[in-house]
């Protein structure tokens, strides 16, 4: 397996390199008859793209998605056949990467790609570049649109920490993308967003980078999605999030903080609500128990590292193993957190859409039309 495909029923294969002809995705397993969400995909692609201001890489890419297959031309409905989406690369400055063929950037993927394949696409970092996520965000937004249409599901991610600046809490029941996008850093609390911006600006001026945490809530997932052993929702979400470039940690519910609680504090008591629905009073579990959704909001967090490309001299070795000093050039993100927000939303949508379709195949009721 090459590791370019994700999902079981709703399957995506991404393709393309950062400085090649373009990048995209083939989606296989999308149900027929769904109105293709062109506008929604364009919106999420705009939130993902570089060139959004001083906090992101200055590379200018329009990232307009072309759809090559899988839609009925007259109606724009999905045909149930593979959907191929692609964006071109127009602002690649490959000469900035000339030195990199012969040396290994510290904490980037040059050495490990060489170790794995014996060669690599040097310019722009090839598939190690976050440009690979173009295909994920396009496919994830289609998945999100299916989840919204069939179950009214809403997915909202936000920047919850940058360096030492931490957003204490938000109202996860009502938070909207508009509130998240009120600041360029994508933190919904104004004064915290300002502090985060200052930290990113300071890092950028020092030629350095800074990491942080994206949190995400998924509202409206019914009880009963997931699988009990290997393909637990927790496990699939962990794999999805940890497949994002620069991700270094993953939590569901209270995550690592749950280790500081007693069972008596962490347990989520069950009650029946006014509609006779089984609910929990609290949601420390993050909406998943035994690998299966319990009908509460799914709450997760992803930690992103301070990315590798800093504009300071660094010690490394070349392909011959000789010690050299490396000085980066080009356009890079001083902090990837604001752009990671739509990527986390997309990966959550891909996992949940796959499990929505799998849940339908799991029972006789789901199979009856
Ligand atoms: C939105 C986003 C933007 C990124 N931009 C850069 C960048 O400008 N420079 C860089 O060195 N790494 C960047 N990265 C991270 C690299 O793609 C990643 O660190 C590299 O592939 C090595 O993989 P690893 O960090 O997951 O081990 C970015 C990641 C994300 C999510």
């Amino acid at each position: 397996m090459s590791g370019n495909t994700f999902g079981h029923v709703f399957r995506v294969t991404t393709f393309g390199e950062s400085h090649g002809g373009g990048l995209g995705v083939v989606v296989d397993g999308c149900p027929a008859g769904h109105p293709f969400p062109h506008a929604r995909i364009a919106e999420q692609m705009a939130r993902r793209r570089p060139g959004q201001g001083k906090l992101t890489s200055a590379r200018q890419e329009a990232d307009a998605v072309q759809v090559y297959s899988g839609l009925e031309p007259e109606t724009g409905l999905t045909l149930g056949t593979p959907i191929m989406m692609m964006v071109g690369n127009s602002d690649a400055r490959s000469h900035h990467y000339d030195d990199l063929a012969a040396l290994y950037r510290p904490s980037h993927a040059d050495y490990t790609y060489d170790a794995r394949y014996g060669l690599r696409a040097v310019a722009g970092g090839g598939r190690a570049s976050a440009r690979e996520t173009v295909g994920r965000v396009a496919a994830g937004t289609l998945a999100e649109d299916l989840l919204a249409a069939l179950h009214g599901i809403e997915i909202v991610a936000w920047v919850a920490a940058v360096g030492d600046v931490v957003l204490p809490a938000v109202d996860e029941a009502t938070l909207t993308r508009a509130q998240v996008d009120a600041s360029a850093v994508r933190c919904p609390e104004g004064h915290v967003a300002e502090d985060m911006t200052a930290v990113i600006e300071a890092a950028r001026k020092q030629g350095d980078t800074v990491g942080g945490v994206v949190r995400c809530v998924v509202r409206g997932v019914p009880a009963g999605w997931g699988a009990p052993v290997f393909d637990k929702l927790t496990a699939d979400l962990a794999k999805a999030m940890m497949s994002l470039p620069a991700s270094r940690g993953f939590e569901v519910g209270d995550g690592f903080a749950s280790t500081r609680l007693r069972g008596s504090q962490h347990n989520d008591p069950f009650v029946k609500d006014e509609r006779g629905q089984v609910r929990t009073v609290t949601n420390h579990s993050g909406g998943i128990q035994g690998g299966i959704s319990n009908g509460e909001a799914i709450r997760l967090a992803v930690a992103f590292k301070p990315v590798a490309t800093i504009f300071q001299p660094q010690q490394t070795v070349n392909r011959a193993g000789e010690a050299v000093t490396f000085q980066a050039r080009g356009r890079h993100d001083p902090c990837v957190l604001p752009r990671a927000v739509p990527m986390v939303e997309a990966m959550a949508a891909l996992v949940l859409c796959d499990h929505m379709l799998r849940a339908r195949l799991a029972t006789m009721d789901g199979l009856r039309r």
Side-chain angles (χ1 to χ4, degrees):
M1 289 295 287
S2 68
N4 296 312
T5 298
F6 184 82
H8 290 253
V9 178
F10 193 89
R11 288 189 306 279
V12 299
T13 303
T14 70
F15 60 86
E17 286 80 34
S18 180
H19 287 200
L23 307 98
V25 65
V26 177
V27 180
D28 205 353
C30 179
H34 183 65
F36 189 81
H38 291 280
R40 199 166 184 163
I41 290 175
E43 242 169 64
Q44 284 293 76
M45 295 301 283
R47 297 175 84 219
R48 193 221 72 88
R49 67 185 276 273
Q52 293 180 53
K54 276 193 291 189
L55 303 184
T56 66
S57 162
R59 182 169 172 176
Q60 289 300 328
E61 295 285 359
D63 287 351
V65 175
Q66 301 286 331
V67 187
Y68 288 86
S69 67
L71 304 187
E72 191 181 48
E74 298 77 31
T75 61
L77 294 175
T78 55
L79 288 168
T81 56
I83 299 170
M84 180 195 155
M85 295 181 258
M86 187 170 162
V87 305
N89 285 323
S90 56
D91 188 25
R93 298 189 189 161
S94 300
H95 59 279
H96 285 156
Y97 293 81
D98 285 350
D99 316 340
L100 296 184
L103 62 76
Y104 299 130
R105 288 172 293 174
S107 291
H108 215 292
D110 308 327
Y111 172 67
T112 48
Y113 273 43
D114 265 8
R116 175 77 167 83
Y117 297 105
L119 78 175
R120 69 194 136 94
V122 172
R127 278 179 75 66
S129 163
R131 242 181 119 53
E132 181 273 334
T133 65
V134 152
R136 302 173 189 233
V137 171
T141 310
L142 171 59
E144 185 185 6
D145 200 59
L146 285 159
L147 292 165
L150 295 169
H151 291 277
I153 288 170
E154 294 174 322
I155 306 176
V156 182
W158 65 99
V159 174
V162 168
D164 287 338
V165 181
V166 178
L167 174 68
V170 287
D171 182 355
E172 297 184 11
T174 61
L175 185 68
T176 63
R177 282 194 189 162
Q179 289 169 329
V180 172
D181 284 356
S183 73
V185 73
R186 296 211 165 96
C187 169
E189 197 66 61
H191 65 280
V192 184
E194 280 171 27
D195 291 348
M196 290 176 174
T197 307
V199 169
I200 299 172
E201 268 296 293
R204 193 176 64 85
K205 285 194 181 125
Q206 289 157 7
D208 217 335
T209 57
V210 61
V213 176
V214 171
R215 289 196 172 275
C216 180
V217 63
V218 186
R219 299 184 290 248
V221 176
W225 290 5
V229 186
F230 296 113
D231 296 349
K232 289 178 173 163
L233 260 191
T234 30
D236 281 359
L237 285 166
K239 176 166 183 170
M241 300 306 163
M242 294 305 292
S243 75
L244 285 170
S247 61
R248 280 297 176 272
F250 173 72
E251 291 187 346
V252 175
D254 286 3
F256 286 94
S258 66
T259 60
R260 296 196 292 275
L261 300 178
R262 297 286 176 89
S264 55
Q265 298 167 306
H266 184 267
N267 285 355
D268 297 315
F270 283 114
V271 287
K272 240 182 186 184
D273 72 9
E274 60 285 355
R275 289 177 302 158
Q277 190 74 39
V278 174
R279 302 288 311 270
T280 65
V281 178
T282 51
N283 189 11
H284 298 290
S285 308
I288 305 171
Q289 288 158 340
I292 298 171
S293 59
N294 68 0
E296 301 302 323
I298 293 177
R299 301 168 48 232
L300 59 91
V302 190
F304 289 89
K305 72 183 191 181
V307 289
T309 306
I310 57 174
F311 293 99
Q312 298 174 10
Q314 295 183 82
Q315 179 63 51
T316 187
V317 296
N318 62 20
R319 291 189 93 181
E322 297 155 345
V324 289
T325 301
F326 165 60
Q327 174 73 53
R329 291 188 294 155
R331 298 153 303 169
H332 291 274
D333 293 273
C335 175
V336 303
L337 273 292
R339 293 183 58 211
V341 163
M343 299 176 190
V344 168
E345 291 166 343
M347 293 314 292
L350 288 176
V351 171
L352 289 164
C353 186
D354 193 41
H355 275 285
M356 170 181 73
L357 299 171
R358 289 170 72 173
R360 284 172 188 232
L361 297 173
T363 64
M364 293 305 288
D365 277 351
L367 288 174
R368 279 186 199 105
R369 291 175 70 99

